[in-house]
Amino acid sequence: MKAVIINEYGDNAVVRYTDVDRPEPNASEVLVKVHAAGVNPVDWKIRSGAGQRMGMTLPIHLGGEIAGAVEKLGDGVEGFAEGEAVYGIINAGGFAEYAIAKATDLVGKPANIDFIHAAGVPLGALTAWQAMFDLAKLAGGQRLLITNSSGGVGSLAVQIAKAKGAHVTAMASSRNEQYVRSLGADAFIDYTNQHFENVARDMDVVFDTVGGDTFQRAFRVLKKGGFLVTAVSFPKDEAQQYGVGAARVLCKSNAAQLASISQLVEAGKLNINVATVLPLPEVKQALALSEEGRTRGKIVLQIV
C-alpha cells in the first residue's frame, strides 16, 4: 500500500510517499481503509523533530486524524462491523491507504457528513472540548474569549461553546469577521485594529491558540478566579500573578467525547470548514500550507 513516512527529521525534503506493507490488526485493534486524513500542525512539527521529543522512533509513519471504513477487526473487538464508516485520532500512520487504530479510539462517522469533512473533526474538536470543559470547566452562561476564532481549532471551539450555552467573544482579523460571526459568535474583536485587552473584560475563560505575546496579554481580560487554557504555550507563574488559573491542553483520544461531538455534528450545531483538499501524493504541499498558518479551515488529504 502507499503511505507517507520519514526516515530522518527535517523539512519537506525528508517526506517520502512510498510503498509499505499493509499492517494487520492485533487484538483490540482495527484496520481502517482510510478515505481521508486531516493535516495538522503536529504533523509537520513531528517531521521537523518533535517526534524525537515525543518519544517516537524512526521511521515514522505520519498522520494522526482519519476517517474511513473498517476493513478488518482484530481479536476481541466488538461494537464495529466490517465496512462501517468510522473516524478518530490514531497514534500514527494516518497518511496511508490503510491504518491501524485502537478500537477504543474510533467512533462511527456522523451520517450527515462525508469522509472529507469527517477527517477535519476529531483533533480540533477534541482539543477544544478538553481545553474548555475538562481544564477550564466552562459552563453555560459564562463568558469566553477565543484568541484565534477562524483557525481549525478555534472555529470548532466557537460552535461547541455556543452549543453548550456560553457567551463567545471571537478574535480574528477583519477579513474573517463575517465567517466567525456565521459560526455563532456573540461578539467580535478585530485584533488588527485594536488591542483586544482594551476591549474584552471580565472573561470567565480564555482559550488561546495563538501563543506568544497574545497569550501573555490574555491574562489581563480574565476576571479574578478565571481560567486561561492554551493549546500552544506553556504557562509559568503568570496565573498566580493575576489571580487566575492556567493550563496547556494536550489533546488525547476520547471516544465518549468524540461521540458527543458527533451528536453536535448530526444535530447541525457543528459545521466543519474544509479549506483545501489534496490527493495523498501531494502531502508535501499540504504540510507546507499548514506550516504557513494562513489557511482558514481544514486541510484534508483525500485517499479514496
Side-chain angles (χ1 to χ4, degrees), residues 87 121 125-126 129 160 257-265 270:
Y87 75 146
V121 174
L126 282 171
W129 187 287
I160 293 170
Q257 291 176 350
L258 188 54
S260 295
I261 289 163
S262 296
Q263 291 176 357
L264 294 179
V265 174
L270 184 61

Side-chain angles (χ1 to χ4, degrees), residues 191-254:
Y191 73 86
T192 65
N193 286 328
Q194 53 196 161
H195 294 290
F196 72 91
E197 67 271 28
N198 294 335
V199 181
R201 287 283 188 276
D202 296 324
M203 293 290 160
D204 296 288
V205 175
V206 173
F207 180 30
D208 170 51
T209 60
V210 177
D213 182 56
T214 297
F215 165 74
Q216 295 293 336
R217 290 154 57 200
F219 283 99
R220 304 176 198 171
V221 311
L222 286 164
K223 62 167 55 172
K224 291 292 183 183
F227 202 95
L228 191 158
V229 59
T230 174
V232 288
S233 295
F234 290 92
K236 296 179 182 177
D237 56 359
E238 302 97 340
Q240 186 175 1
Q241 175 186 345
Y242 287 96
V244 299
R248 188 182 197 272
V249 62
L250 297 170
C251 183
K252 298 178 181 178
S253 180
N254 187 306

